[in-house]
Every structure is written in structure tokens, then in C-alpha cells.
């Protein structure tokens, strides 16, 4: 069968198809064709990746103009503040834009002095230096882990020969953190020291570091400096605060890890406040111990006397008194004993020094997520009590409560999601559409095949045409003058089916009859 016969056969089949089937075939073919075209165009498109984000409108316009001049494909998202380029060309395009001076990032730093201006005044040089220093500090701060963007504002006083006329230097820093990131106190202190060391004459009190939510990040540094200025050692105070915070952090981590394994991640928050005593106390105790006799002296003295008065100063000289015993006679006698013993006593001195950092009181607050099913606050409180070493006699406090959590900080914005997420979704949708289209085609083919099979089975049944028996001419009665009738003795349902088939497919019936006649 050549190609022309195949076309003729398809044309014949198409003409024999009913109008409803023709419409259905056209619609299904159009859907499949549209799906194939969309799938082809989508797969042919390059994968776009982030080139720059959170741009100012002016910077975005300059970069787009440069991309258009270089005939580089790009896409704008997030209201024109984010630029996407083909994934395989991101690094090359960044290098190209940087070499052209368009990719400035947060601005021009000390590159401003690469091209000196003729006749520039001292004021202009001072402004250029201030701008360059701000940009350089912003670049350095953005290198810190967890910091996405930073903007620095400096106030540099004009130098004067009179000290009273000089102003005070100050710095204000606004930091945008990455999603879910949080700066540690050590990082904030490092940024504070970096800014102080970069600006001449800048003091801690004049440095202000905040985040995009308006939270002041370096307040604790100013409090430490103020207490140190009141007569306390800043270094010792900082160490005490670090010890206290480290102890609190250890208890918080212990509770967090325990609750994360019980309730799941991000389902509980624990905060611990420890009151500690950093005063050093020393107690000295001296105990006298008995020792041996070193020396001993004993004096015994006896004597008699004729005086009837008695011992001077005693009651014997008083009239009317009688003295019994040996003093009652006229001859008095006395005995005197004097013993002296010297001991070598020992001594034990004990000195007890109480180390600073003793725990006075603990206060613990635990917040649970209400979305957790089968939440038993009493059992959670018992677990936390045992984990932190709760002591009621010490005055410790613990509070466990449940409330709904805000999970928005863990949901990344759509523009910050990986670039291939949207592509994966589109590919999934296209795969589903192609699968549905293929399934429809398969169902249509199966239905068409079953219908053709039923038709072939119906056409294959022989149609028996019975003719009347041959009767001799002599036996024909004169009254039977009617001509014999050709009948097709078929059942009524078969006759009905054949009639309907002849009405629906007259050409097929004619073709079958031609084949039969040819045979």
C-alpha cells in the first residue's frame, strides 16, 4: 500500500465518520497539539537564576539598559527590583557588568578617588571620603554571616584648631538579616568594634545598630559601658554577663532539644533567666586545741599563830562572832597551796572561700504551639522542671503556656525560593497534561477499535437468501399467476439491525454486496 492509497483510505474513513466524532477528534487533536507546543517551548526556555535582588529603581534601570544593549535575555520579578538571567550565564554577566561599572552593589567605595577632579574643594573631598567610608563599611558588614544587606550613615565632624568647636562623630547602621537568621551578641559586639575602629573619634555611645524591624541590637554594650563608667570594671562585668548568659543558654538549649524530640521542631520556645551572685566571700575559723604541760610549779605553805583575833579582814574580828575549826582556838594554824601549770596549746585555722557565680534563683518560661495534638502541659512542666534542676526552696519559678505560633519567618518569599522550583512545577503540570492527553487518546483508540470489531463481527455473519423450490411447469396451478417473491428470512432483530446498518453505512453495505457478487 503506497502513500496515496493510505491517504485515500484515511479520507474515506473521515468521510464515513459521523459529525459528532469529527468534532471530538478535532478538539482532542487541538488539545494535544497545544500541550506539545507548550511543552516544547517551555523545555526550550533557559532556566533563569537570580542575578541581583532588592535593587533601587535607578540601579535596576541601568542594569536592564546594559543587558538590553548586550542583547542578554532577562526577566524582572518582585515589582522590578529583582533581575533574573539564564542560569549558566550568571557569573559571566556579573563579571561583565562589574567591568562596565554598572554592577556597583551598594555603591562606589574608595573607587571614587580613582578619578580625581580638577579644582575639587576641601568640602567636596570631605563628602567623597564620607561616602566612600560608608560604602566600604556596608560592604564589610554584609560579609558577616546572617547579614543580607547593610546601610551605614556617618556623621564626621569638621576638624578645627579649637577643641570646643569640634563636633562629635556618630554612626547609624541599618541591617537586613537573612530569613530566619539572628545575630549573636558576639557578632554585634564585633560589628560595634569594627565601626568604632573605622571612624576616628567615634565612641560606643554614639554607635547605633538596628535591624529592619526597628530592634536596637547594641543596647547591651551601652549598658555595660555605663556601668563601667560608674566605677566598675567593664572587663569583669562583661565576663560576668557572659557567664550568666552562657549558663542560661545552656539550660535553654537543653530544654529546646528535649521538647524538639517530643513535640517536633519549632514547636516550643524556652527562655531562662538566672540570678547569680558574683560576690566572693571568705570565712576564717580558728580552733584552740589542747596540748601537753610544758612547765609546772607547786608551793605548799603551813604555819601557826598566837593571835586570837583571826585573819585580818575576815569576820573573825567582828564582835559577837564565833570561829569554828582551827581558828577557834588560841593557837591558829593555816595551810597555803599554790600550783602553776603551763600548757602548750595548739590551734587550727580554717579559711573557706566561696567562689563567685553562685545561683540564687531561676525563672523559666516555656511557650508551646497550640497546633500540637494531645498536648499535656502538666507533663511538659514536669519534664522542664527536672531538666533545669528546679528548686522550690530556692524560690525558682516556672511557667508553661500554649498559644499559636507565627510560622511566617520560616516561609521564604516566593522570589527568594530556588529558581528551579517554578520550573519543576511547570514541568509537573505539563507532564500531567501530557499524561491526561495520552490517556484520552488511548481511550478513544480503544473505543474506536471495539466499535470496529463489533462492526466487522456484524458484517461477517452470512445473510442467507433462500429461493423457492423449482416446481415443474405442469404442476403449476392456473390460479397462481403471481410472481414469486424474494425474501430474506432473518429474525426480526437481525432484520432491524441490518436495516439500521444499511441506513447508517450504505456505502459499506454496497461494498460488502460487491464483494459477495464478485465471489
Amino acid at each position: 500500500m503506497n502513500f496515496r492509497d493510505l491517504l485515500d483510505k484515511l479520507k474515506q474513513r473521515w468521510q464515513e465518520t459521523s459529525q459528532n466524532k469529527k468534532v471530538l477528534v478535532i478538539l482532542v487533536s487541538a488539545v494535544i497539539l497545544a500541550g506539545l507546543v507548550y511543552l516544547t517551548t517551555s523545555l526550550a526556555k533557559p532556566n533563569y537564576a537570580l542575578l541581583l535582588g532588592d535593587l533601587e529603581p535607578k540601579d535596576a534601570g541601568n542594569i536592564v539598559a546594559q543587558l538590553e544593549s548586550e542583547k542578554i535575555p532577562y526577566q524582572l520579578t518582585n515589582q522590578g527590583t529583582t533581575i533574573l538571567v539564564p542560569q549558566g550565564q550568571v557569573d559571566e554577566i556579573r563579571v561583565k557588568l562589574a567591568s562596565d561599572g554598572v554592577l556597583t552593589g551598594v555603591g562606589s567605595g574608595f573607587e571614587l578617588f580613582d578619578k580625581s577632579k580638577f579644582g575639587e574643594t576641601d568640602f567636596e573631598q570631605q563628602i567623597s571620603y564620607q561616602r566612600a567610608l560608608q560604602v566600604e563599611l556596608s560592604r564589610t558588614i554584609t560579609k558577616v554571616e546572617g547579614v543580607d544587606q547593610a546601610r551605614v550613615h556617618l556623621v564626621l565632624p569638621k576638624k578645627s584648631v579649637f577643641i570646643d568647636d569640634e563636633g562629635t562623630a556618630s554612626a547609624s547602621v541599618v541591617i537586613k538579616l537573612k530569613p530566619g537568621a539572628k545575630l549573636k551578641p558576639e557578632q554585634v559586639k564585633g560589628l560595634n568594634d569594627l565601626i568604632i575602629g573605622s571612624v576616628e573619634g567615634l565612641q560606643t555611645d554614639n554607635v547605633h545598630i538596628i535591624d529592619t524591624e526597628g530592634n536596637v541590637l547594641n543596647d547591651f554594650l551601652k549598658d555595660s559601658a555605663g556601668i563601667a563608667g560608674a566605677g566598675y570594671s567593664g572587663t569583669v562585668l562583661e565576663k560576668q554577663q557572659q557567664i550568666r548568659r552562657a549558663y542560661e543558654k545552656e539550660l535553654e538549649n537543653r530544654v529546646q532539644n528535649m521538647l524538639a524530640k517530643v513535640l517536633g521542631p519549632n514547636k516550643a520556645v524556652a527562655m531562662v533567666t538566672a540570678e547569680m551572685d558574683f560576690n566572693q566571700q571568705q570565712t576564717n575559723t580558728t580552733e584552740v586545741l589542747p596540748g601537753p604541760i610544758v612547765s609546772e610549779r607547786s608551793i605548799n605553805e603551813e604555819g601557826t599563830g598566837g593571835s586570837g583575833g583571826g585573819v585580818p579582814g575576815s569576820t573573825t574580828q567582828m564582835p559577837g562572832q564565833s570561829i569554828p575549826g582551827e581558828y577557834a582556838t588560841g593557837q591558829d594554824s593555816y595551810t597555803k597551796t599554790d600550783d602553776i601549770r603551763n600548757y602548750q596549746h595548739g590551734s587550727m585555722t580554717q579559711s573557706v572561700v566561696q567562689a563567685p557565680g553562685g545561683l540564687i534563683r531561676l525563672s523559666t518560661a516555656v511557650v508551646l504551639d497550640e497546633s500540637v495534638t494531645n498536648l499535656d502541659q502538666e507533663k511538659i512542666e514536669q519534664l522542664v522542671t527536672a531538666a533545669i534542676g528546679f528548686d522550690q526552696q530556692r524560690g525558682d519559678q516556672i511557667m508553661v503556656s500554649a498559644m499559636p505560633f507565627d510560622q511566617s519567618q520560616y516561609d521564604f518569599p516566593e522570589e527568594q525560593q530556588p529558581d528551579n522550583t517554578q520550573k519543576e512545577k511547570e514541568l509537573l503540570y505539563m507532564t500531567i497534561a501530557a499524561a491526561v492527553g495520552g490517556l484520552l487518546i488511548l481511550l478513544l483508540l480503544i473505543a474506536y477499535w471495539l466499535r470496529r470489531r463489533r462492526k466487522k463481527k456484524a458484517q461477517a455473519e452470512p445473510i442467507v437468501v433462500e429461493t423457492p423450490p423449482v416446481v415443474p411447469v405442469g404442476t403449476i396451478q392456473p390460479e397462481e399467476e403471481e410472481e414469486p417473491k424474494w425474501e430474506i428470512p432473518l429474525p426480526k432483530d437481525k432484520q432491524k439491525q441490518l436495516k439500521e446498518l444499511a441506513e447508517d453505512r450504505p456505502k459499506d453495505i454496497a461494498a460488502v454486496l460487491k464483494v459477495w457478487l464478485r465471489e
Side-chain angles (χ1 to χ4, degrees):
M1 180 182 295
N2 54 17
F3 183 70
R4 186 175 183 82
D5 294 339
L6 181 61
L7 289 179
D8 294 339
K9 188 176 181 179
L10 292 176
K11 184 177 180 181
Q12 182 181 358
R13 292 287 178 84
W14 179 258
Q15 292 176 354
E16 294 172 357
T17 306
S18 62
Q19 190 69 20
N20 294 335
K21 291 183 179 180
K22 289 181 179 179
V23 174
L24 181 61
V25 170
I26 292 174
L27 290 178
V28 172
S29 302
V31 170
I32 294 174
L33 182 61
L36 292 175
V37 171
Y38 179 75
L39 182 61
T40 304
T41 54
S42 299
L43 293 177
K45 288 182 180 179
N47 294 328
Y48 283 85
L50 178 65
L51 177 66
L52 293 172
D54 294 333
L55 296 172
E56 296 292 336
K58 182 179 179 181
D59 296 335
N62 295 334
I63 295 173
V64 167
Q66 185 67 21
L67 293 177
E68 290 179 349
S69 64
E70 298 288 342
K71 296 182 179 180
I72 298 174
Y74 66 91
Q75 290 182 355
L76 293 176
T77 59
N78 195 17
Q79 300 180 353
T81 60
T82 302
I83 301 177
L84 305 178
V85 295
Q87 187 173 4
Q89 304 178 11
V90 173
D91 298 334
E92 181 181 354
I93 294 174
R94 284 181 179 174
V95 173
K96 178 67 176 175
L97 294 177
S99 62
D100 294 338
V102 179
L103 186 59
T104 57
V106 294
S108 298
F110 287 112
E111 298 88 353
L112 291 172
F113 296 97
D114 293 341
K115 299 179 180 179
S116 59
K117 298 180 181 179
F118 181 75
E120 188 176 15
T121 62
D122 294 340
F123 177 76
E124 292 177 343
Q125 288 183 353
Q126 180 68 17
I127 295 299
S128 298
Y129 173 74
Q130 181 176 344
R131 289 176 54 194
L133 186 58
Q134 291 177 167
V135 172
E136 292 295 335
L137 284 174
S138 300
R139 291 177 179 176
T140 306
I141 294 173
T142 52
K143 300 298 181 180
V144 177
E145 182 180 0
V147 178
D148 188 15
Q149 294 181 6
R151 193 173 183 88
V152 180
H153 301 276
L154 298 177
V155 175
L156 301 181
K158 185 178 179 181
K159 294 183 178 181
S160 174
V161 294
F162 301 101
I163 299 178
D164 296 338
D165 294 341
E166 291 186 358
T168 304
S170 64
S172 300
V173 182
V174 181
I175 294 176
K176 180 181 179 182
L177 301 176
K178 295 180 180 179
K182 185 178 180 180
L183 291 181
K184 301 178 182 178
E186 299 81 13
Q187 292 177 306
V188 177
K189 186 177 184 304
L191 293 177
N192 190 84
D193 295 342
L194 170 68
I195 298 170
I196 293 176
S198 302
V199 180
E200 182 180 0
L202 185 60
Q203 302 295 330
T204 303
D205 292 339
N206 297 327
V207 179
H208 310 279
I209 304 176
I210 65 173
D211 58 10
T212 51
E213 297 180 357
N215 300 320
V216 181
L217 304 180
N218 63 332
D219 260 354
F220 68 96
L221 297 176
K222 296 180 181 179
D223 295 341
S224 300
I227 296 176
Y232 295 92
S233 175
T235 305
V236 174
L237 181 60
E238 290 178 3
K239 289 182 179 179
Q240 293 177 357
Q241 291 180 347
Q242 291 175 2
I243 293 172
R244 180 177 60 83
R245 186 54 191 154
Y247 179 73
E248 295 173 347
K249 195 69 176 177
E250 176 65 23
L251 294 180
E252 291 173 359
N253 292 337
R254 184 180 301 179
V255 175
Q256 290 274 166
N257 295 334
M258 179 186 65
L259 296 180
K261 294 180 180 180
V262 175
L263 306 177
N266 302 326
K267 297 299 182 182
V269 177
M271 298 296 293
V272 178
T273 301
E275 184 179 351
M276 306 181 75
D277 184 10
F278 290 98
N279 295 324
Q280 184 176 0
Q281 297 180 0
Q282 182 176 357
T283 303
N284 298 325
T285 304
T286 302
E287 181 180 358
V288 179
L289 301 177
I293 298 175
V294 177
S295 60
E296 182 178 2
R297 187 185 67 177
S298 180
I299 300 175
N300 295 323
E301 183 178 344
E302 295 179 357
T304 59
S307 174
V311 180
S314 65
T315 56
T316 58
Q317 293 180 345
M318 299 179 67
Q321 297 291 333
S322 60
I323 302 174
E326 56 183 354
Y327 294 101
T329 63
Q331 294 293 326
D332 296 332
S333 63
Y334 66 93
T335 302
K336 179 180 180 183
T337 302
D338 185 8
D339 294 333
I340 298 176
R341 293 184 180 91
N342 294 322
Y343 294 89
Q344 182 67 38
H345 294 288
S347 64
M348 182 179 65
T349 303
Q350 184 179 6
S351 178
V352 179
V353 178
Q354 182 180 356
L359 184 61
I360 300 177
R361 189 181 299 107
L362 271 181
S363 299
T364 306
V366 179
V367 183
L368 308 176
D369 192 358
E370 284 185 349
S371 63
V372 180
T373 58
N374 301 326
L375 187 62
D376 192 344
Q377 296 188 22
E378 294 183 0
K379 290 185 178 180
I380 297 296
E381 183 174 352
Q382 293 175 2
L383 292 175
V384 176
T385 298
I388 63 174
F390 180 83
D391 188 357
Q392 188 174 4
Q393 296 180 355
R394 194 171 52 195
D396 293 352
Q397 297 178 354
I398 183 170
M399 179 177 293
V400 179
S401 59
M403 58 184 63
F405 276 22
D406 181 15
Q407 300 291 342
S408 60
Q409 58 178 338
Y410 302 106
D411 300 332
F412 293 94
E414 183 178 356
E415 61 272 8
Q416 294 181 355
Q417 292 181 355
D419 302 322
N420 55 354
T421 304
Q422 190 66 23
K423 283 293 181 181
E424 291 178 356
K425 291 182 179 179
E426 294 179 358
L427 184 59
L428 178 61
Y429 296 154
M430 290 185 293
T431 304
I432 294 175
V436 172
L439 183 60
L440 290 176
I441 295 174
L442 182 61
L443 292 176
L444 290 174
L445 291 176
I446 293 174
Y448 181 73
W449 178 74
L450 292 175
R451 188 175 182 83
R452 288 284 298 171
R453 185 177 180 182
R454 287 196 298 268
K455 289 180 180 179
K456 289 182 179 180
K457 186 176 181 180
Q459 294 175 1
E461 293 181 356
I463 302 177
V464 182
V465 181
E466 297 182 358
T467 57
V470 179
V471 181
V473 179
T475 60
I476 299 177
Q477 300 296 331
E479 62 272 15
E480 294 180 0
E481 297 179 354
E482 296 179 1
E483 296 182 357
K485 296 182 180 179
W486 296 85
E487 296 181 357
I488 302 177
L490 295 174
K492 293 183 179 180
D493 13 336
K494 293 292 183 180
Q495 292 179 5
K496 186 177 180 181
Q497 291 181 5
L498 186 59
K499 185 178 180 180
E500 293 177 356
L501 184 62
E503 290 177 356
D504 293 341
R505 310 289 292 273
K507 293 184 179 181
D508 292 342
I509 296 296
V512 171
L513 292 176
K514 288 180 182 178
V515 172
W516 288 351
L517 292 174
R518 192 180 302 116
E519 292 177 353

